[in-house]
Amino acid sequence: MPSPLISVVLPAYDQQKQLTDCLDSLLAQSFRDFEVIVVADRSPDTPADLVDAYAARHPRVSVLHLNAAVGVGVSRNAGAARARGEYLLFLDADHLLPRDGLRSLADRLDRTGPVDLLLFGHTRQHGGRDWPGGAESLLAEAGPEAFGPLERPELFGAPALAWDRLLRRGFWQDAGLAFPDGRYEEIPLAHRALLAAGRIAVLPRACVQLRRRETVHPAGSPGSSRFDIFDQYERSFALLDELAAERPGSAAARDALFIRMIRHYLFVFDLAGCVARAERPQFFHRAAEHHRRFQPAGHRRPGGREGVKFSLLAGGAYPAFEMAKLSHIARGTLTGTARRKASV
């Protein structure tokens, strides 16, 4: 049997009961040269009977059963090892693809020729609305031609995800790519791929929609925690220092990565229910330590309210940061009350 162009690796964690929609959107694709490898471990959120039923009905779907609860990263690595396709696409149960999503990726590869990495856009569904995924302007500015590592250092400022990119399987193997243990496992993998890829291209359109209700996978590896985010960014900066010390663009990449890191820390810290109340001081001070350690020379903070948050974090001023947040919430509440009274 000839190898497909794209192997979709899909860990079968289905905490929000969305896996059926994801599989149906894949099987409805107008492009047919692909396979789906569903990885089912022993997690209680893995519906083994459901995925086995899909595999029995659809030749493009196969199931890889693992004999332990191993988490998303290990599941993805196992699925990649089973894949036969020329390119790897990592998805999760809370993803949907438009009917022409894979066709758009294949058409872009026809135009670029073989690339190690193809970055594309995504949207997020929340509150009944679709929101841009956070990298649209960076992708649009990259242009139509393929480029090499660090020729577009600003891409290190994009969210570090696994499911908004195709990775050539031979590149995955030759570069020794793999997801590490813990939560936020996408971060160092995404940055290692950006540094190691010989040819990179972009497709500035959304090919995947995210419907996740959380910002991290619900099934990290055993023993994982929210605090894994710090270890993952440490890995990314170590990679940048190791692989890019003598390459043009490394300083710009470091600045973009630093801004992305701090924005990510602040987002996780601000997200309701993400960091437990008792752990908030520890999380804040870990983030402040990384701000001091990884801030590039000559770095200029963003403007506006975001810049104020950067400054408070840089000074390790946890009480002031929390007070500023409460003041902002209070102002927003008062503004909303005034608007409601004015509309009565």
Side-chain angles (χ1 to χ4, degrees):
M1 179 182 295
S3 298
L5 180 67
I6 298 172
S7 290
V8 180
V9 177
L10 177 60
Y13 300 109
D14 197 21
Q15 189 178 54
Q16 304 297 332
K17 310 305 179 188
Q18 297 170 303
L19 182 58
T20 295
D21 291 342
C22 178
L23 286 167
D24 287 346
S25 78
L26 283 166
L27 294 169
Q29 290 295 298
S30 60
F31 178 78
R32 311 304 289 173
D33 190 16
F34 70 96
E35 65 173 351
V36 181
I37 302 168
V38 183
V39 185
D41 77 352
R42 291 296 187 89
S43 165
D45 294 319
T46 298
D49 291 343
L50 183 149
V51 298
D52 285 339
Y54 266 89
R57 296 195 307 268
H58 302 284
R60 284 188 175 81
V61 179
S62 64
V63 182
L64 173 60
H65 289 278
L66 304 180
N67 61 8
V70 297
V72 170
V74 174
S75 294
R76 286 172 170 166
N77 293 336
R82 173 71 66 90
R84 300 179 298 112
E86 186 176 351
Y87 289 89
L88 299 171
L89 173 61
F90 296 99
L91 296 180
D92 296 315
D94 46 15
H95 292 139
L96 291 178
L97 278 70
R99 191 169 184 274
D100 65 343
L102 295 184
R103 168 63 64 189
S104 297
L105 296 174
D107 289 346
R108 181 67 175 127
L109 291 172
D110 282 343
R111 294 191 296 272
T112 63
V115 296
D116 293 331
L117 188 63
L118 175 62
L119 309 174
F120 55 87
H122 71 277
T123 60
R124 294 174 180 263
Q125 186 184 87
H126 179 71
R129 293 181 58 187
D130 291 347
W131 302 85
E136 284 65 23
S137 60
L138 293 175
L139 296 180
E141 293 167 2
E145 302 300 325
F147 50 90
L150 293 180
E151 290 182 20
R152 292 284 180 179
E154 65 274 12
L155 290 173
F156 282 83
L161 306 171
W163 36 265
D164 64 350
R165 59 202 67 206
L166 287 181
L167 296 107
R168 188 172 60 81
R169 187 163 62 90
F171 164 62
W172 172 275
Q173 295 168 337
D174 294 343
L177 298 177
F179 291 94
D181 288 337
R183 293 182 184 261
Y184 302 97
E185 74 289 337
E186 300 163 319
I187 292 168
L189 183 282
H191 296 141
R192 179 182 285 276
L194 275 174
L195 285 167
R199 293 188 81 233
I200 305 170
V202 303
L203 174 63
R205 69 150 287 185
C207 296
V208 172
Q209 181 180 76
L210 171 69
R211 300 182 297 158
R212 185 171 300 160
R213 296 180 178 90
E214 294 190 25
T215 58
V216 296
H217 296 296
S221 57
S224 63
S225 80
R226 309 292 192 195
F227 284 80
D228 293 344
I229 192 171
F230 300 108
D231 295 334
Q232 307 297 18
Y233 273 105
E234 285 191 6
R235 290 186 174 103
S236 289
F237 274 99
L239 287 169
L240 189 60
D241 291 341
E242 174 187 349
L243 300 176
E246 297 180 359
R247 296 184 189 179
S250 61
R254 188 178 183 88
D255 193 67
L257 178 59
F258 174 79
I259 294 173
R260 167 49 49 190
M261 177 185 74
I262 299 303
R263 283 175 172 165
H264 200 170
Y265 290 169
L266 292 173
F267 176 78
V268 170
F269 187 76
D270 283 344
L271 190 66
C274 196
V275 181
R277 182 186 298 273
E279 295 177 333
R280 287 178 67 80
Q282 180 187 358
F283 190 98
F284 183 90
H285 290 302
R286 286 284 301 275
E289 189 272 329
H290 273 199
H291 190 295
R292 291 189 294 272
R293 188 175 8 146
F294 295 120
Q295 179 177 342
H299 168 73
R300 298 182 62 181
R301 294 186 185 121
R305 182 170 178 267
E306 184 181 44
V308 173
K309 294 170 75 172
F310 270 55
S311 296
L312 291 170
L313 182 64
Y318 173 70
F321 188 95
E322 292 286 43
M323 184 62 68
K325 181 180 179 180
L326 290 172
S327 298
H328 177 76
I329 293 172
R331 286 196 301 273
T333 301
L334 291 172
T335 301
T337 301
R339 286 174 178 168
R340 285 193 295 273
K341 287 181 178 180
S343 64
V344 172

